[in-house]
Each structure stands twice: as structure tokens, then as C-alpha cells.
């Protein structure tokens, strides 16, 4: 499975832990994020992840910024992208099961690194339920 990950200055340590877990599980990871805490603009990293997901170059995306909101807003502008802002593993499961999200957005300033890794593991191991949820997902795009 191919995963793209992008983060701003709030997320380098989160990304590092997530990438280590992904590689240990055999995932191929493309890193678009910054590796320092020097201030950067989250859209620059979100666009790269969303482009790969939208074009089918990767199976899933992971984006990280301070609140998770700005980068989620950025990636959700792309066709075929459904990003869910998650702060617990239960929400990560629901965003896959009910919304068929293909990008998880993580709020680094409101979750621990351990929680973020758990959320990504849950997100990637949870299937879309389809059924009654498919009709709703079909209505998301403009």
C-alpha cells in the first residue's frame, strides 16, 4: 500500500513516529512534510498529498498541522479527496466506515504522538461499510 504524508512545523515528530510504524508494516511512504519546527505554510504540504490521492498515485494520505483544520480544508478542495479530521481512534474508524475518507487529518497540538499513531493504524485497517453510507458519500462532491 502507498501512503503520502505531509505536515507543517507542528508535526515533524508526529510524522517521524507515523512513518516508522508504516515502514515497519511494509507500507511505501512518500514524505512531503517538513522535518523541522521552523514555521512553514501547511497548504504547501497538503496540496502535494491531496494531488497524489486525487490522481490515484497513492492509496491514502495523512496530513498533520496544529489544529488539523487548515490542512484538512486545503486537501478537501481536490476531486476524489475526502479528508476527515480525527482526534481519537474511534473517529478515525468512523471516518473510514461511514465517509470512505482517504486522507486522515491529525491535530498535532491536540493529540499525543501515541494517539496519532493509533489513529493512523485504525484508519488504514478500517474498511468503508458502503450500503446506506454510499448514497451519502455520493452527495459530498460539488
Amino acid at each position: 500500500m502507498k501512503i503520502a504524508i505531509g505536515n507543517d512545523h507542528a508535526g515533524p515528530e508526529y510524522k517521524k513516529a507515523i512513518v516508522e510504524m508504516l515502514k515497519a508494516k511494509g507500507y511505501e511512504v512518500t514524505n512531503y512534510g517538513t522535518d523541522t519546527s521552523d514555521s512553514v505554510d501547511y497548504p504547501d504540504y497538503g496540496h502535494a498529498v491531496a494531488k497524489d490521492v486525487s490522481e490515484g498515485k497513492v492509496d491514502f494520505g495523512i496530513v498533520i498541522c496544529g489544529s488539523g483544520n487548515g490542512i484538512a480544508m486545503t486537501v478537501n478542495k481536490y476531486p476524489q479527496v475526502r479528508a476527515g479530521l480525527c482526534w481519537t481512534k474511534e473517529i478515525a474508524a468512523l471516518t473510514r466506515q461511514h465517509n470512505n475518507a482517504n486522507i486522515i487529518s491529525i491535530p498535532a497540538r491536540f493529540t499525543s504522538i501515541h494517539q496519532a499513531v493509533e489513529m493512523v493504524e485504525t484508519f488504514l485497517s478500517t474498511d468503508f461499510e458502503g450500503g446506506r453510507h454510499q448514497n451519502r458519500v455520493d452527495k459530498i462532491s460539488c
Side-chain angles (χ1 to χ4, degrees):
M1 187 179 298
K2 295 180 181 179
I3 311 291
I5 188 166
N7 61 285
D8 71 1
H9 52 276
E13 295 304 315
Y14 287 72
K15 178 184 64 183
K16 181 180 175 186
I18 291 166
V19 169
E20 284 176 8
M21 177 273 295
L22 292 172
K23 287 185 175 181
K25 292 181 178 280
Y27 294 110
E28 183 180 325
V29 181
T30 303
N31 175 11
Y32 290 114
T34 184
D35 293 321
T36 74
S37 60
D38 297 337
S39 184
V40 296
D41 298 331
Y42 59 79
D44 296 337
Y45 305 97
H47 284 302
V49 172
K51 186 171 187 253
D52 276 6
V53 171
S54 180
E55 293 176 356
K57 293 179 182 175
V58 297
D59 300 295
F60 291 102
I62 301 164
V63 292
I64 308 162
C65 75
S67 71
N69 281 304
I71 204 160
M73 290 176 189
T74 300
V75 300
N76 273 319
K77 303 292 185 205
Y78 283 75
Q80 308 307 315
V81 167
R82 289 172 306 283
L85 173 59
C86 300
W87 55 95
T88 68
K89 64 183 180 180
E90 292 81 11
I91 292 171
L94 286 173
T95 197
R96 285 286 306 128
Q97 291 170 334
H98 293 187
N99 310 117
N100 200 16
N102 49 19
I103 297 180
I104 182 172
S105 182
I106 298 170
R109 294 194 179 116
F110 298 94
T111 59
S112 70
I113 291 173
H114 175 74
Q115 285 175 300
V117 170
E118 279 189 337
M119 287 189 292
V120 171
E121 287 178 313
T122 300
F123 183 83
L124 295 176
S125 66
T126 302
D127 293 326
F128 177 51
E129 290 180 353
R132 64 188 173 98
H133 303 293
Q134 184 63 57
N135 185 50
R136 296 168 186 154
V137 169
D138 291 342
K139 293 180 179 183
I140 291 173
S141 295
C142 292

